[in-house]
Amino acid sequence: PEYVVPITCGHRGHCTEPYPEKSIVDVLGADSVKAYFPFEGNNEDATGKVTVEGSGKFYHIDGYFDRGVRMDDGYLTLSDCKPGADSFSIGFWFKNGLAAGDPPVVSNKNWSRGGSPGFVLGMTITTVFFNVAAPGVGRFDTGALLPLDYKEGWVYVICSVDRAANTIGMSLDFEPMVIRALPEGYKGGSFDTD
């Protein structure tokens, strides 16, 4: 995406309404949030739980509530943030400036091939998608169409991976979460990669 603002990575699958005065850490509590990126002039995890290394170009800009980041050929690498076989959720505000392609927003895999081990939460011009693959299990893809008015402003995405239920849920702009079952072969397996 052209613009990305606060990315949150929690472990309890909570979906919340926007709180302009509170961060996701304030709303869910520090124990429920693995990493939080407010992009307030830097690319640091505000929780201090993960080590972050930036590469490429980052432009800190006005976001939905406060600040955000525009990444031109830039990305962040997080250490100490591995999902394993645990449930997790990823949430972020974005403004879609894509003309083509399907870039990852959050990923731990080689996205040059969808069958590569690991997961990716990414975007196309009209969709937000989740892809996961594992050796011996194959590839699984799901996603959601962007709202019709997505080009006019910001869109909120929450993707919740419930490993106990073996499902992936996705909600755009706080609509009810659409939940899809993962293939049985993924149950209990790790989503970690090298």
Side-chain angles (χ1 to χ4, degrees), residues 38-194:
F39 296 120
E40 294 291 331
N42 63 54
N43 299 329
E44 296 173 12
D45 166 29
T47 71
K49 295 179 184 177
V50 298
T51 305
V52 182
E53 183 179 325
S55 179
K57 300 175 187 172
F58 301 90
Y59 302 94
H60 294 274
I61 58 166
D62 289 335
Y64 186 79
F65 291 121
D66 292 313
R67 303 293 289 161
V69 67
R70 182 175 144 202
M71 296 181 191
D72 292 340
D73 299 324
Y75 61 91
L76 298 176
T77 301
L78 281 59
S79 300
D80 313 317
C81 192
K82 295 186 176 193
D86 294 334
S87 296
F88 63 95
S89 295
I90 301 167
F92 59 92
W93 288 98
F94 77 92
K95 212 175 194 181
N96 192 341
L98 287 174
D102 58 351
V105 177
V106 179
S107 178
N108 71 345
K109 70 185 295 172
N110 177 350
W111 184 228
S112 65
R113 292 178 312 152
S116 298
F119 76 90
V120 60
L121 176 62
M123 316 185 68
T124 69
I125 298 170
T126 58
T127 62
V128 175
F129 66 87
F130 186 88
N131 161 280
V132 64
V137 182
R139 169 182 178 159
F140 177 79
D141 297 272
T142 188
L145 287 173
L146 292 173
L148 294 176
D149 63 351
Y150 76 91
K151 290 184 179 179
E152 298 172 20
W154 295 88
V155 176
Y156 187 74
V157 173
I158 183 97
C159 179
S160 182
V161 181
D162 185 334
R163 300 306 308 278
N166 205 37
T167 60
I168 296 174
M170 196 171 292
S171 169
L172 304 183
D173 280 347
F174 304 97
E175 289 293 320
M177 189 163 282
V178 175
I179 299 174
R180 294 191 174 88
L182 279 162
E184 194 64 27
Y186 284 101
K187 194 157 191 147
S190 175
F191 279 11
D192 290 349
T193 62
D194 293 337

Side-chain angles (χ1 to χ4, degrees), residues 28-44:
L28 298 181
D31 290 343
S32 296
V33 179
K34 176 69 175 177
Y36 170 57
F37 295 88
F39 296 120
E40 294 291 331
N42 63 54
N43 299 329
E44 296 173 12

Side-chain angles (χ1 to χ4, degrees), residues 1-13:
E2 185 172 338
Y3 305 103
V4 179
V5 291
I7 295 175
T8 58
C9 176
H11 286 284
R12 297 206 178 134

